[in-house]
Amino acid sequence: NAGDEDAIVIVADEKENCIDALRAVAERAKEAIRGVPEETRAANPDGTTRYMRPRPGAARMYPETDVPPIPISNEHLERLMMNLPEMPERKVERLIREYGINEKLARQLQDSEYDDLFEIIVKETSVPSTFVAATLTETLKSLKREGFEIERLSREQIIKVFRLVGSGRTSKEALPEIFKWLSRHEGADPEEAIKELGLAMLSKHELQRIVKELIDQNRRLILERGERAFGPLMGMIMKKYRGRVDAGMVSALIKEEISRYSKGVD
């Protein structure tokens, strides 16, 4: 009395084998009620699936019989252990300890493709480690989100850009513009980027002249605000020369000139 939605199982064999087979069918039906059985299934042309074989258990796990055993010595194991990559947590701790960066930057570096590049740059240049880490993990990522093809930058280009910063050839503030230019000119020399963008650092003598002229042009502001004139004056110079001056040097020169002017020293 099977209906349209009923399944019929026909087993033909010796009675004992038939009983075993039907018991297996019944057990499988019970499993299907509880959920999808753990098994390997094949796809049918109509999008349904069919049973192929049970998932392999411990009984099916055996050595490959066609490959002879390969003896592994304790010395070989020791060499492997010595060359294992650094564990993530240990690397984060080491980056914090050795380079003085915070945990957030250390974890970002560990998860990035620039972790080893960071260490090379810090060791080869005088650029502060925190700035290097932030540039590699945040600035480059931000530029990529803006649509710049940062993946075009080679490791050598990135290292050279930081060398130029460390040697005073360009400023830290100029890095985003330099990286943008390099992403549009694949394989170009970072020095060419500095030249094309006009981002070569001003000399200290040039900067002193610019600051003095600014002070002379804003005497009234200094008379009215005194030391509080520092902020507006700093903003004026950085707006015009950002990327070509070191902000720390600008700050020191402006404070010095304000102090000299306030005391009536020419």
Side-chain angles (χ1 to χ4, degrees):
N1 297 327
D4 292 339
E5 296 185 0
D6 291 327
I8 299 175
V9 178
I10 299 175
V11 178
D13 204 329
E14 297 291 334
K15 181 178 180 180
E16 185 177 344
N17 292 340
C18 288
I19 292 173
D20 288 341
L22 290 171
R23 282 175 178 166
V25 170
E27 184 60 34
R28 175 167 170 71
K30 292 176 183 177
E31 288 183 11
I33 293 173
R34 291 193 292 268
V36 179
E38 293 188 0
E39 62 192 17
T40 301
R41 300 184 65 82
N44 295 322
D46 63 357
T48 59
T49 61
R50 66 181 184 278
Y51 171 81
M52 283 185 65
R53 58 180 178 271
R55 291 186 63 183
R60 295 193 62 196
M61 304 301 289
Y62 50 83
E64 174 56 62
T65 56
D66 295 331
V67 178
I70 301 174
I72 299 177
S73 65
N74 289 332
E75 291 76 14
H76 182 64
L77 288 175
E78 288 176 5
R79 285 197 300 272
L80 292 176
M81 292 293 290
M82 291 176 63
N83 288 284
L84 288 175
E86 193 172 13
M87 295 296 288
E89 284 302 318
R90 289 188 179 180
K91 185 160 195 174
V92 168
E93 292 172 2
R94 182 177 63 79
L95 291 173
I96 295 171
R97 182 178 65 255
E98 292 186 11
Y99 299 102
I101 60 177
N102 61 41
E103 183 178 351
K104 176 188 174 184
L105 284 175
R107 291 193 179 280
Q108 287 177 334
L109 277 173
Q110 195 278 319
D111 289 336
S112 77
E113 60 187 290
Y114 300 116
D115 53 341
D116 61 328
L117 193 60
F118 162 78
E119 297 195 65
I120 293 171
I121 292 170
V122 173
K123 289 174 181 176
E124 292 189 5
T125 73
S126 59
V127 182
S129 56
T130 295
F131 177 77
V132 175
T135 301
L136 294 176
T137 61
E138 297 174 0
T139 303
L140 292 183
K141 185 183 293 185
S142 176
L143 292 177
K144 190 170 184 178
R145 282 198 296 264
E146 291 176 26
F148 293 96
E149 297 182 76
I150 298 303
E151 58 274 7
R152 288 187 171 187
L153 302 178
S154 69
R155 292 166 62 90
E156 291 71 24
Q157 285 177 309
I158 295 174
I159 292 172
K160 186 165 185 179
V161 169
F162 280 101
R163 283 185 184 140
L164 292 170
V165 172
S167 64
R169 297 280 301 282
T170 191
S171 71
K172 293 184 291 186
E173 291 78 12
L175 260 61
E177 294 305 317
I178 294 173
F179 286 136
K180 289 178 186 179
W181 191 91
L182 290 173
S183 73
R184 293 192 295 262
H185 300 80
E186 192 170 1
D189 191 316
E191 292 196 42
E192 185 182 354
I194 292 173
K195 181 179 178 181
E196 290 294 322
L197 295 169
L199 293 176
M201 287 283 278
L202 295 175
S203 68
K204 185 175 182 180
H205 177 73
E206 290 175 304
L207 189 54
Q208 286 174 324
R209 176 182 58 77
I210 290 169
V211 170
K212 195 170 188 313
E213 288 178 357
L214 185 70
I215 295 294
D216 291 340
Q217 294 167 5
N218 291 274
R219 291 173 181 270
R220 186 169 182 176
L221 177 66
I222 297 171
L223 287 172
E224 292 175 353
R225 299 194 183 185
E227 292 184 357
R228 289 184 294 111
F230 168 79
L233 294 172
M234 182 76 177
M236 292 176 196
I237 289 186
M238 294 307 294
K239 181 179 180 180
K240 186 173 182 179
Y241 297 102
R242 182 177 299 278
R244 299 183 61 197
V245 294
D246 179 79
M249 185 180 293
V250 173
S251 173
L253 289 173
I254 290 177
K255 289 178 180 178
E256 181 182 334
E257 287 297 323
I258 289 177
S259 177
R260 286 165 59 86
Y261 184 80
S262 299
K263 293 176 182 178
V265 179
D266 293 327

